[in-house]
Amino acid sequence: EVKSFSACFISCTNLTGPIPAGLFDYNTKVRDFSDVVRRTKVSSIPAGLFDKCLEVTNFFGAFAESEIINIPNGLFKNNTKADNFALAFLNCKKLKDIGDNTLLNTLNAQNAVNLSRMFEGCSALEGPIPAGLFDNCPNVTNFSQTFRDCNSLTGNIPTGLFDKCTEVTTFKGTFTKCKSLTGSIPAGLFDNCTKVMTFEKTFYNCTSLTAIPAGLFDNNTKVTSFSETFWDCSN
């Protein structure tokens, strides 16, 4: 009957991985996994860890500040009620890969509204960002600082990355200090995001970007702030 594992193992600083497979298989009514292994030395997540937890709504900070290296395929594929993935992998400084088969088609977060700071500070995260990464997240409203300080994230921002995210209201700091993102920002990147109100610091200190396409913000008529959107984009 347990409904929450929030902060269950938080700051157990000697707790190392891997997490045992099937750890939560009998906890089918859990709704909250926020901060569950935050600030631990957990290094590995077993496949299917949350497969039986169909009622979960909250993964806020679940693996933040841990030592995980990779995210298993389909980690959240059955968690269709989850709406909060904010800070889920915050400052996971050893995380290298989110991979084409990891979150690309298996996040399945139809109800997700908050992906803010999801990968912030993942300084070892390698690019490129998978195309279609957010295609199954049509209701996201918050992409603030999602990739902030991911300074090893290489390659171009994929065309159409936010095409299915028509409810977004903020891109504040989404790519701040992503110094290894290269090339031109793709044309039409925000065309379908007509509800956006702020692009504050979206590309702040993205020093390897080379060009802004014409009409990038043509459809974003509700914006109230472009403060420091391209500050210190030295190229």
Side-chain angles (χ1 to χ4, degrees):
E1 301 296 320
V2 175
K3 294 184 179 179
S4 177
F5 278 99
S6 177
C8 188
F9 301 106
I10 193 170
S11 296
C12 292
T13 53
N14 289 321
L15 184 64
T16 60
I19 298 170
L23 181 62
F24 303 117
D25 279 3
Y26 295 98
N27 308 117
T28 57
K29 297 185 179 181
V30 176
R31 296 178 181 175
D32 190 352
F33 278 111
S34 59
D35 298 322
V36 61
V37 291
R38 184 171 184 166
R39 219 172 291 127
T40 67
K41 293 182 180 178
V42 166
S43 59
S44 179
I45 306 170
L49 180 63
F50 304 119
D51 278 4
K52 305 295 178 65
C53 305
L54 307 184
E55 301 300 317
V56 182
T57 62
N58 192 2
F59 284 107
F60 177 94
F63 300 99
E65 301 165 286
S66 67
E67 297 188 1
I68 63 166
I69 298 171
N70 296 293
I71 304 169
N73 292 346
L75 179 63
F76 303 119
K77 69 179 185 295
N78 291 346
N79 310 121
T80 57
K81 294 184 180 181
D83 58 20
N84 192 354
F85 292 89
L87 285 73
F89 303 100
L90 172 75
N91 287 335
C92 289
K93 296 188 181 300
K94 295 185 179 181
L95 180 63
K96 293 183 177 181
D97 180 35
I98 55 178
D100 285 352
N101 296 315
T102 300
L103 297 179
L104 176 56
N105 290 316
T106 56
L107 184 54
N108 201 21
Q110 298 293 320
N111 292 306
V113 295
N114 193 350
L115 300 186
S116 67
R117 306 179 71 188
M118 189 173 184
F119 300 107
E120 180 184 347
C122 293
S123 54
L125 186 62
E126 300 171 350
I129 298 170
L133 178 63
F134 303 118
D135 279 4
N136 291 333
C137 309
N139 293 306
V140 175
T141 61
N142 192 342
F143 276 111
S144 62
Q145 303 180 84
T146 302
F147 295 106
R148 177 174 174 162
D149 287 321
C150 292
N151 47 36
S152 295
L153 197 59
T154 58
N156 298 336
I157 299 170
T159 300
L161 181 63
F162 303 115
D163 276 4
K164 303 297 178 64
C165 305
T166 57
E167 301 298 315
V168 184
T169 59
T170 176
F171 282 108
K172 181 179 179 179
T174 303
F175 299 106
T176 290
K177 297 184 181 180
C178 289
K179 297 182 179 182
S180 298
L181 286 177
T182 56
S184 173
I185 298 168
L189 182 63
F190 304 116
D191 276 5
N192 294 345
C193 306
T194 58
K195 297 182 181 181
V196 178
M197 299 183 70
T198 179
F199 283 101
E200 181 181 345
K201 296 185 178 180
T202 302
F203 300 104
Y204 179 104
N205 201 212
C206 290
T207 54
S208 296
L209 289 179
T210 57
I212 303 169
L216 180 62
F217 304 117
D218 277 3
N219 292 355
N220 311 119
T221 58
K222 295 185 179 181
V223 175
T224 59
S225 177
F226 285 105
S227 175
E228 300 180 303
T229 302
F230 299 105
W231 189 90
D232 198 26
C233 291
S234 56
N235 286 323

